[in-house]
Amino acid sequence: MDYIVKFAEGFINLFQTGADTFIDWMTSIVPLVLMLLIAMNTIIQLIGEERINVIAQKSAKNPFLRYLVLPFLGSFMLANPMVHSLGRFLPERYKPSYFASAAQFAHTSNGIFPHINPAELFIYLGIAQGIQELGLPMTDLAVRYLLVGLVMNFIGGWVTDFTTSYIEKQQNVKLSKEVKVEG
Amino acid sequence: MAERAKIVKGSGGFGGPLTIGVDGKRDKLMYVTGGHKPAIVDKICDITGATPVNGFETSVPEEEIMAAVIDCGGTLRCGIYPQKGIPTINIMATGKSGPLRQYITEDIYVSNVDVDQVSVAGTESESTSVKETQAEEKQPEQQATYSRDKKIMETRAEQENKSILTRIGLAAGKVINTFYQASRDAVETMLHTVIPFMGFVALLIGIIQGSGIGDLFANVMSPLAGNIWGLMAIGFICSLPFLSPLLGPGGVIGQVLGTLIGVEIGKGNIPPNLALPALFAINTQNAADFIPVGLGLAEAETKTIEVGVPSVLYSRFLNGVPRVFVAWLASFGLYK
């Protein structure tokens, strides 16, 4: 009999632990993320997509603008997945590289700006909640995540330029380096 | 001209595309937009040959309305014309909302429309015909100053010479509407994407911690995630080009791995400064499944997608392990 009671208690305990964790997050993470989301949504609406499109058009020439400034601004302003739509202002040749770096910015910037990719917040939060549990500040981690991301995502985009050349040779095609924007 | 106009939604908008044109008696384009006449009204009228009517000044029998242009941020007006079967064009980005939200459907409603979203559809294409609504009694053709679907502020706004107070009121209204819409979008995101995942992860944590599986995982994970070489191994495995597209979808694998490592950090089995390289290690497959869609969003040609998919997979592989290593270097001094 005792054995059954113990088992039932243990079983309920699994969910009680889960429920405590959930409520802890509902009172700490949810309000904070919600406020950030509202503020970011508002800023984005007020600034407008038009302005970011202009920046995108001007970023095609320089790899630094193309794989660092534009993907970061794009993920901040348009969030995931619309950040990828800015690639249309770049020549075909650079679209894979832009994608490579923009997709990574949607994660490395997410620690500080959760509006960028709320659906995949737990890649960051999963690890960060361990830090929180230890009573250490999560922001330190988020800032370093962002900064390392800035450098490494740029390199990621730039390296993709080389892998694209490699695949071009392999498949014997040549992608255009001229910008073609319709409409 | 008597062509049909095609109207698509603007960025962040909802619904559409609508194709509208003059249809027999229905030749009036009514605009109910805070007193001013939006540029799209002229454009649609140029294309279709419809007569613009300021809904604030005159009321038009419903059976003569071709379409309605509104600027509603999410209260009653969004739904009132769709409910009557009148195609509705909202110049604000409001989606399905308000008490009449069930009538706001993609075949009769389009939002965040500006001049660029309006184009000529060609005469032959099929129209979004105005749905007949039965039993909807005709609105009496009232000439009243205040009507039921206008707010007092909006009725004021119809006046040609707006006072400064009215202007301030309208500007404030726009800012408040933007905040309100942003808030609605944010709550939607929280409810439909963040909180469900939170529930799932919280349960996972409960099971890991409460059952003793946690200790088992700790034994497996600690040697792997507890030092930089193990993390680089995780990064290497996740970035393998034949594996990464399978690990990508929804970021689920990364999120579960993150949670597992997070639990171990919380328990003190993994030093907290390794959180940074761990973030990079569990996500070297980042978006590998999404490459064709992402390139599609960038309006890439088929050829580019054929080249781009292997190219990004290779670059993820080349970058994966170095990213983890650099993150480890950058983690010196963190939480010490």
Side-chain angles (χ1 to χ4, degrees):
Chain A
M1 191 64 196
D2 274 1
Y3 185 77
I4 298 173
V5 172
K6 275 260 160 55
F7 178 78
E9 272 177 358
F11 188 66
I12 292 298
N13 185 45
L14 301 184
F15 306 115
Q16 192 55 54
T17 313
D20 292 345
T21 310
F22 184 71
I23 282 301
D24 182 35
W25 286 345
M26 286 298 276
T27 53
S28 60
I29 292 170
V30 169
L32 181 67
V33 171
L34 185 65
M35 292 305 118
L36 273 167
L37 278 180
I38 296 172
M40 289 305 168
N41 283 351
T42 309
I43 293 171
I44 290 163
Q45 276 296 319
L46 291 176
I47 296 177
E49 201 183 333
E50 292 302 314
R51 290 193 180 88
I52 192 86
N53 283 347
V54 173
I55 297 174
Q57 271 162 317
K58 289 181 179 157
S59 302
K61 293 246 157 61
N62 173 332
F64 185 72
L65 289 174
R66 214 163 50 212
Y67 307 137
L68 199 161
V69 179
L70 185 62
F72 176 70
L73 270 184
S75 56
F76 180 82
M77 287 293 304
L78 306 177
N80 184 50
M82 285 316 286
V83 55
H84 299 302
S85 68
L86 286 180
R88 70 183 185 276
F89 297 111
L90 303 179
E92 292 295 319
R93 177 66 175 69
Y94 302 130
K95 283 179 182 177
S97 311
Y98 174 77
F99 171 84
S101 88
Q104 287 178 326
F105 272 107
H107 281 282
T108 57
S109 322
N110 213 28
I112 298 184
F113 304 116
H115 72 286
I116 292 175
N117 199 359
E120 295 171 15
L121 205 52
F122 270 87
I123 288 189
Y124 167 74
L125 274 184
I127 287 182
Q129 58 96 14
I131 300 293
Q132 194 190 27
E133 200 138 298
L134 294 175
L136 298 168
M138 282 159 75
T139 328
D140 292 30
L141 178 65
V143 170
R144 291 198 191 208
Y145 192 28
L146 179 91
L147 294 178
V148 176
L150 279 174
V151 178
M152 292 315 286
N153 301 348
F154 164 68
I155 293 175
W158 190 57
V159 166
T160 313
D161 275 359
F162 295 104
T163 55
T164 305
S165 310
Y166 176 74
I167 305 285
E168 274 183 330
K169 274 190 208 115
Q170 209 179 38
Q171 294 191 1
N172 205 14
V173 293
K174 202 88 199 128
L175 297 176
S176 152
K177 288 193 178 181
E178 299 296 311
V179 193
K180 251 191 301 180
V181 182
E182 300 132 32
Chain B
M1 281 217 284
E3 291 193 65
R4 292 189 168 278
K6 186 178 176 212
I7 297 144
V8 297
K9 66 180 173 192
S11 66
F14 171 86
L18 296 185
T19 315
I20 55 169
V22 173
D23 182 15
K25 260 176 81 186
R26 295 182 189 277
D27 61 351
K28 302 216 169 45
L29 180 66
M30 185 175 70
Y31 58 99
V32 194
T33 49
H36 72 290
K37 181 157 119 185
I40 56 164
V41 170
D42 288 328
K43 184 157 179 192
I44 296 173
C45 289
D46 278 350
I47 294 171
T48 59
T51 322
V53 177
N54 186 344
F56 277 122
E57 285 171 0
T58 37
S59 73
V60 181
E62 271 166 41
E63 60 272 13
E64 290 179 20
I65 300 174
M66 175 183 80
V69 177
I70 58 172
D71 67 342
C72 179
T75 46
L76 187 65
R77 243 183 319 140
C78 282
I80 201 158
Y81 300 108
Q83 185 192 21
K84 292 174 182 168
I86 299 169
T88 302
I89 300 150
N90 197 344
I91 60 181
M92 301 189 81
T94 315
K96 262 180 178 295
S97 70
L100 296 174
R101 71 202 308 273
Q102 72 269 29
Y103 298 103
I104 300 174
T105 53
E106 291 174 3
D107 57 335
I108 200 157
Y109 181 91
V110 61
S111 74
N112 206 11
V113 175
D114 205 342
V115 186
D116 294 337
Q117 274 79 45
V118 178
S119 59
V120 178
T123 38
E124 76 288 349
S125 67
E126 207 174 295
S127 71
T128 305
S129 61
V130 178
K131 287 180 196 161
E132 292 303 328
T133 41
Q134 77 294 49
E136 177 82 37
E137 84 263 35
K138 272 184 212 159
Q139 234 180 333
E141 290 194 27
Q142 49 182 335
Q143 301 291 355
T145 329
Y146 297 102
S147 72
R148 61 178 174 148
D149 51 353
K150 297 175 214 170
K151 288 169 243 161
I152 293 176
M153 203 61 220
E154 290 169 344
T155 311
R156 287 251 188 86
E158 80 190 45
Q159 292 151 5
E160 269 309 312
N161 301 316
K162 295 182 198 120
S163 71
I164 289 176
L165 262 180
T166 309
R167 278 171 205 273
I168 293 172
L170 286 172
K174 186 168 183 270
V175 171
I176 287 165
N177 255 332
T178 309
F179 267 102
Y180 184 36
Q181 180 64 30
S183 169
R184 230 182 350 237
D185 289 347
V187 169
E188 184 96 343
T189 312
M190 288 306 283
L191 272 181
H192 292 290
T193 60
V194 180
I195 292 178
F197 206 89
M198 227 173 226
F200 158 64
V201 174
L203 179 63
L204 201 70
I205 287 182
I207 293 173
I208 293 170
Q209 287 189 330
S211 66
I213 299 177
D215 300 328
L216 205 73
F217 268 120
N219 291 334
V220 182
M221 293 289 290
S222 304
L224 208 55
N227 66 73
I228 179 58
W229 307 111
L231 285 175
M232 275 163 47
I234 294 177
F236 176 79
I237 294 166
C238 291
S239 70
L240 289 171
F242 57 89
L243 209 54
S244 53
L246 302 175
L247 296 176
V252 172
I253 303 282
Q255 306 201 56
V256 171
L257 277 177
T259 308
L260 291 173
I261 294 176
V263 169
E264 295 310 319
I265 291 175
K267 287 207 274 186
N269 291 335
I270 295 175
N273 68 307
L274 284 188
L276 187 65
L279 279 171
F280 285 87
I282 60 173
N283 208 16
T284 50
Q285 78 281 14
N286 178 313
D289 59 311
F290 197 68
I291 307 168
V293 187
L295 288 172
L297 282 170
E299 292 167 18
E301 294 164 7
T302 326
K303 218 168 54 181
T304 312
I305 296 176
E306 280 167 13
V307 173
V309 172
S311 168
V312 175
L313 289 180
Y314 289 177
S315 84
R316 286 277 187 271
F317 181 63
L318 291 176
N319 283 307
V321 174
R323 278 166 76 81
V324 183
F325 189 74
V326 170
W328 177 63
L329 295 179
S331 77
F332 289 169
L334 181 66
Y335 302 128
K336 289 262 165 77

